[in-house]
Amino acid sequence: MRSQLPLTLHLLPWVLAGAGCSSPALGASESWKRIVLVELFTSQGCSSCPPADALVRDLPRLGFGRARVLPLTFHVDYWDGLGWKDPFASVVFRRRQEWHAQSGTLRDPDGQSGLRGLYTPQMIVNGVVHFLGQRRDAALSETRRAAGGSSPITLIAEAAITGQVINVGARAAFAAGVDTTEDWKLIVALVAKSARTHVMHGENGGETLDEVPVFAERWRWTGVGLSIFTLYAAVM
């Protein structure tokens, strides 16, 4: 049976040297100039993380739907030794968090730069501002602020499904002054819209965690239809 994927191709503004992306076809208001990437580094083994996951899940209800905000949750692996191994955790996501920490571009909402060590839940808005992921006030205000900036790239993407194979094509339009000789890469992410896990042990033992949208290094969910996934495309 052919699985159906609701292909809403969005532009993920993975930030490199301050560069981001936007798509004018998403119907955002004139004051909302770009789609904002919100990354949450989390873990099922961290007792402070469920409120941050709930905040990400609540973004559409707060007016930050996919036409304005693209959230991704990355499950890190450094809490896996506390009695519960997070099934979505990966060293790849820890390395991405380390890359952010070592980039020298992160600051807190008060403008203080620098970061000592990794922590969860950590929310990063457009690769620039970081704070505790359960801080709703900071998340909403920093997302609105990031949406007011311009973007040097517009991505036009298309996708087609043949059985379980997804073919993606994209064209990128660069604004004047953007260095097109850099090593730009197209990134396509397939993420689960939602996931529910009953945690048996660890700091969240006995809890049932609902998380959205869950990014996995390699999807190992056999027999799961593509209808629960959303496809994102990005220029990096």
Side-chain angles (χ1 to χ4, degrees):
M1 182 178 68
R2 181 175 177 177
S3 299
Q4 297 299 318
L5 176 65
L7 282 182
T8 306
L9 280 177
H10 296 296
L11 196 59
L12 278 182
W14 297 82
V15 179
L16 287 181
C21 311
S22 66
S23 172
L26 293 175
S29 65
E30 185 175 350
S31 61
W32 202 278
K33 297 180 180 180
R34 64 185 300 174
I35 298 174
V36 180
L37 174 65
V38 174
E39 297 176 76
L40 176 66
F41 292 89
T42 183
S43 171
Q44 292 182 356
C46 162
S47 61
S48 301
C49 287
D53 290 310
L55 173 56
V56 172
R57 190 171 63 248
D58 208 27
L59 286 175
R61 187 188 65 81
L62 297 171
F64 297 83
R66 289 188 300 176
R68 291 184 168 187
V69 176
L70 293 179
L72 282 180
T73 57
F74 295 92
H75 288 235
V76 296
D77 63 347
Y78 47 81
W79 296 122
D80 283 0
L82 297 181
W84 177 256
K85 182 174 175 57
D86 189 328
F88 304 117
S90 170
V91 65
V92 173
F93 304 149
R94 170 165 53 86
R95 287 171 181 163
R96 176 163 181 82
Q97 191 181 27
E98 290 172 344
W99 175 80
H100 273 302
Q102 297 166 4
S103 68
T105 62
L106 287 182
R107 60 172 177 80
D108 63 28
D110 296 324
Q112 299 297 316
S113 61
L115 175 65
R116 294 182 180 179
L118 306 181
Y119 67 92
T120 57
Q122 181 188 38
M123 188 171 287
I124 300 178
V125 176
N126 262 13
V128 177
V129 183
H130 76 101
F131 46 87
L132 285 172
Q134 65 268 50
R135 288 185 56 187
R136 177 170 300 206
D137 57 339
L140 301 188
S141 63
E142 293 300 329
T143 299
R144 290 191 185 97
R145 181 180 302 175
S150 60
S151 175
I153 305 170
T154 297
L155 182 68
I156 301 172
E158 297 178 344
I161 306 172
T162 303
Q164 295 289 310
V165 177
I166 304 173
N167 295 301
V168 180
R171 291 183 293 112
F174 293 83
V178 176
D179 185 1
T180 59
T181 63
E182 293 185 7
D183 186 20
W184 295 94
K185 299 177 181 178
L186 176 68
I187 305 298
V188 177
L190 188 64
V191 302
K193 291 181 178 179
S194 63
R196 172 170 289 185
T197 306
H198 182 62
V199 179
M200 303 297 293
H201 307 287
E203 292 188 357
N204 292 313
E207 300 292 332
T208 297
L209 304 181
D210 291 301
E211 298 154 315
V212 296
V214 182
F215 191 97
E217 178 189 4
R218 296 182 182 90
W219 287 107
R220 297 180 293 273
W221 296 5
T222 57
V224 176
L226 286 175
S227 61
I228 69 167
F229 296 105
T230 297
L231 186 69
Y232 298 108
V235 169
M236 182 175 181

